[in-house]
Amino acid sequence: MRIFWLVLLWATNAIAAETTVIADGQYVMADGDTLAIAEQRVLQKAQRRAIEEAGVYLESTFYDYEKTSKGESTQISSLEIRTLAAAITRTEVLESRRSFEKDRPHFFVRIRALVNLDQLQDAIRRWKSDRQLAEHFRQLQKENVELKAQLRELRTRPAGVRVLPIEPPIIQSSMRERARTLVTHAITSHDLTQKLDLTTQAAVLDPQSPDPLIVRGQTYLQLISMAYSHQSKPSQYSSYLDEARMDFDRALIIDPKNTWALLGQGDVNRWLEHPDQAALAYEQALALNPFFDVARQRLISLHTTRARQLMDRKQWATALALLNSVLHEPLTESWVPYEKEAILLRSDLYQKLNQPVQAIRDLSAVLQVDPSHVSALVARARLYRDHLQGQSAKEDFEHACMLGSSEACDQLP
C-alpha cells in the first residue's frame, strides 16, 4: 500500500509539471513586414499568451507600437529582456486564418501549447543568477577603473602638496541611481527622440555604465530600420549607423562581456554588409550566454540569407554546412517557428543533393507546427510521389488543394 501511494505521488508531480493551454494570437501586418515575419509574430503572440495563461510569471516583456508616416505604417517590436521559448515543449496550430482590416492583412492563430512549468522556472532562475553575476562583475570593473584613474593622477601630479578631489560616495551613488532611472524611462518610451535625449543624459551622469550606450545604440538602429522601410537612401541614415557603432564599441570597452553590446555590434555589421563580423559578434554573445535567444535568432537569420546566396551560386554543400551549423539537431519543436525559413531552405538543399529522406524530415518538422503551410505540403507530396508513397502523397495534395493550391488540385485524380 505504501508503494502505491509513492507511485501516485510521483505521477501527480510529473503531471503537475506541464499544463496544456489553448491561446489565440492576432497581428496586423505592418508595411515593413514580410508574410514570414507576420506569421512568426502572430505565433509568438499566441505562445506568449499561452505562457501567461499558464499562471507563471514570464521574465520577458514585449513592447509593440506602430507609427504612421506619409501614409505608411511601421510596427516595431522589441524584446526588452529575453525570451523563454523553451517553456513551450509542443505547439499545435488549431486554427489559422487571414483577413483584411482597413486594407491591411490581419493574421489570427489559435494554438494548443504544452507548457513545461518546471522548465520555465529553471530558465527564470538561471536568468536571475546570470544577471546577479553580471551586475557584480560590472561593479568590480567600475571600481577598478576608478582606482586606476586615481592612481594615474597621483603619479602624474608634481611633488609637493597634492589635492585629490574625490566626489563623496553619496553623490556618486545618487548620480548612478538617477542614470538608471533615466535608462528605465528611455526603455519604456515610444518616442525615439525622447529615448535619445534620456539615454544621453544618463551617459553623462554615469559614464562608466554601458547601459545608456546600449539603449541609445538600439534607438539609432530603430531609426535606421524606419528610414530603410520608407526607402530612404543610405546616405540619409549613415550618420545614425555611425552613432550606433560608436555607442556599442564604447559599451564593449566598458564591459567586454556585455552580450547586449555584442548583439548591437552584430546588428551594425549586418547593416554595413559585413556578415563575417556580424556572425562573430552573435557567436561571442552566445558563447557568453547560450540562452541568449535574441542573438541565436539573429544568427539563424544571417546564415539563412548567406545560405540562399550560396545556393544562387550552386554551392549547395557549403550552404548546407552553414545551415547545419546553426540549426538545432534534433529539431526542437519550440524553436521550429523561428527556424522555419532556414529549415525549408535546407529541405531544398537536401533535394538538390538527392537526399529525399532528410528533405521529408525537415518538411514534416515545419508542417507539425504549421499544418497549413501550402508550399511545404506540395513539396512533401512531390517527394512522396517520386518515391512511390502514393497514399501519403495523395493526403498532402488533398490538404494543399483544400487550402487553395491549384497546383495540388491538378495532381488529384
Side-chain angles (χ1 to χ4, degrees), residues 43 51 105 113 116 126 161 188 191 198 220 229 246 253 274 282 294 307 348 355 404:
L43 184 60
I51 295 178
N116 189 313
R126 286 196 301 271
V161 179
T188 57
D191 187 329
L198 292 171
Y220 281 124
S229 68
M246 288 188 290
I253 291 174
H274 298 159
Y282 297 146
V294 181
D348 289 343
Q355 299 180 35

Side-chain angles (χ1 to χ4, degrees), residues 218-271:
Q218 291 173 339
T219 305
Y220 281 124
L221 288 176
Q222 290 180 4
L223 287 167
I224 295 166
S225 181
M226 291 178 63
Y228 181 81
S229 68
H230 288 90
Q231 298 181 346
S232 300
K233 297 179 180 178
S235 58
Q236 293 177 290
Y237 54 79
S238 60
S239 60
Y240 295 150
L241 195 55
D242 289 337
E243 294 291 346
R245 177 179 54 80
M246 288 188 290
D247 276 347
F248 292 127
D249 287 349
R250 285 175 57 195
L252 285 170
I253 291 174
I254 297 170
D255 182 5
K257 295 186 177 182
N258 191 297
T259 53
W260 284 102
L262 286 166
L263 180 78
Q265 192 179 67
D267 291 344
V268 167
N269 279 308
R270 287 195 71 177
W271 279 106

Side-chain angles (χ1 to χ4, degrees), residues 77-89:
S77 300
S78 61
L79 182 57
E80 292 299 336
I81 305 176
R82 63 188 298 270
T83 60
L84 295 175
I88 298 181
T89 57

Side-chain angles (χ1 to χ4, degrees), residues 13 21 24-26 30 37 50 54 85 109 114 152 160 168 185 230 255 263-264 267 308 313 334 347 362 366 379 411:
N13 289 339
V21 178
D24 297 346
Q26 299 186 54
I37 290 174
V109 66
L114 182 62
R152 283 196 299 269
H185 289 164
H230 288 90
D255 182 5
L263 180 78
D267 291 344
R308 191 171 283 113
R313 298 196 292 268
S334 61
S347 72
D362 280 353
V366 171
Q411 301 299 319

Side-chain angles (χ1 to χ4, degrees), residues 6 13 24 47 156 159 203 242 282 284 331 337 347 367 397:
L6 287 173
N13 289 339
D24 297 346
Q47 289 177 327
T156 55
D242 289 337
Y282 297 146
Q284 288 175 337
L331 294 173
S347 72
L367 289 168
F397 279 133

Side-chain angles (χ1 to χ4, degrees), residues 58 128 134 144 153 195 268-269 300 344 347 356 369 389 392:
L58 183 63
K128 288 182 176 179
N144 188 39
E153 187 174 353
K195 289 168 78 79
V268 167
N269 279 308
I300 292 171
L344 290 172
S347 72
V369 299
Q389 298 182 43
S392 297

